[in-house]
Amino acid sequence: MSNPQHLQYTKEHEWLTAADADGVSTIGITKHAADALGDIVYVQLPAVGDTVTAGETCGELESTKSVSDLYSPVTGEVVEVNQDVLDDNALVNSAPFEGGWLFKVRVESTDELLSADQYNALTHAEG
């Protein structure tokens, strides 16, 4: 699966949309990360109203293989969490760029972000 060109990415394998007119971006993990983790069995997300900070841990993904921290690519206030993912963790694996998104943030600032081409180069270098 190719990484969508319209998204931005982090070195920790999160993706985010450009902010909408209200300054809100959607955040998820990449297919590369979902495949590396294996079947997701538990998702811990920040709560609506929480403030997340770019580059800092804001949640956790547990799979049949391991537990992985979730890092926020932006600083801002969480305005929505994906209840569908909390109800069906497998969406993170089956639809990481669509229904498997994790949460939405009203963005105050961003960390260093990668284009799809830069992220592709990073993941190919990792093997």
Side-chain angles (χ1 to χ4, degrees):
M1 168 183 266
S2 144
N3 294 298
Q5 290 290 321
H6 68 282
L7 299 176
Q8 293 182 295
Y9 301 86
T10 69
K11 292 178 182 175
E12 289 78 29
H13 310 290
E14 289 85 22
W15 59 262
L16 72 154
T17 61
D20 66 14
D22 293 325
V24 175
S25 288
T26 301
I27 296 169
I29 67 165
T30 64
K31 175 89 170 119
H32 176 83
D35 289 347
L37 284 169
D39 294 335
I40 305 294
V41 296
Y42 176 75
V43 175
Q44 177 193 1
L45 299 175
V48 171
D50 284 355
T51 297
V52 293
T53 302
E56 293 191 8
T57 302
C58 63
E60 188 175 270
L61 301 171
E62 184 177 331
S63 72
T64 55
K65 293 181 182 179
S66 67
V67 175
S68 180
D69 287 333
L70 176 64
Y71 296 91
S72 181
V74 296
T75 297
E77 180 186 352
V78 176
V79 296
E80 184 179 350
V81 296
N82 188 347
Q83 187 62 48
D84 291 341
V85 163
L86 295 175
D87 294 340
D88 181 7
N89 304 153
L91 282 173
V92 175
N93 295 104
S94 64
F97 295 114
E98 296 88 24
W101 62 273
L102 301 175
F103 61 98
K104 295 183 180 187
V105 174
R106 182 165 292 109
V107 179
E108 294 173 14
S109 66
T110 63
D111 208 348
E112 182 181 333
L113 301 173
L114 306 172
S115 69
D117 292 338
Q118 291 169 318
Y119 183 74
N120 288 337
L122 172 74
T123 56
H124 284 101
E126 289 180 356

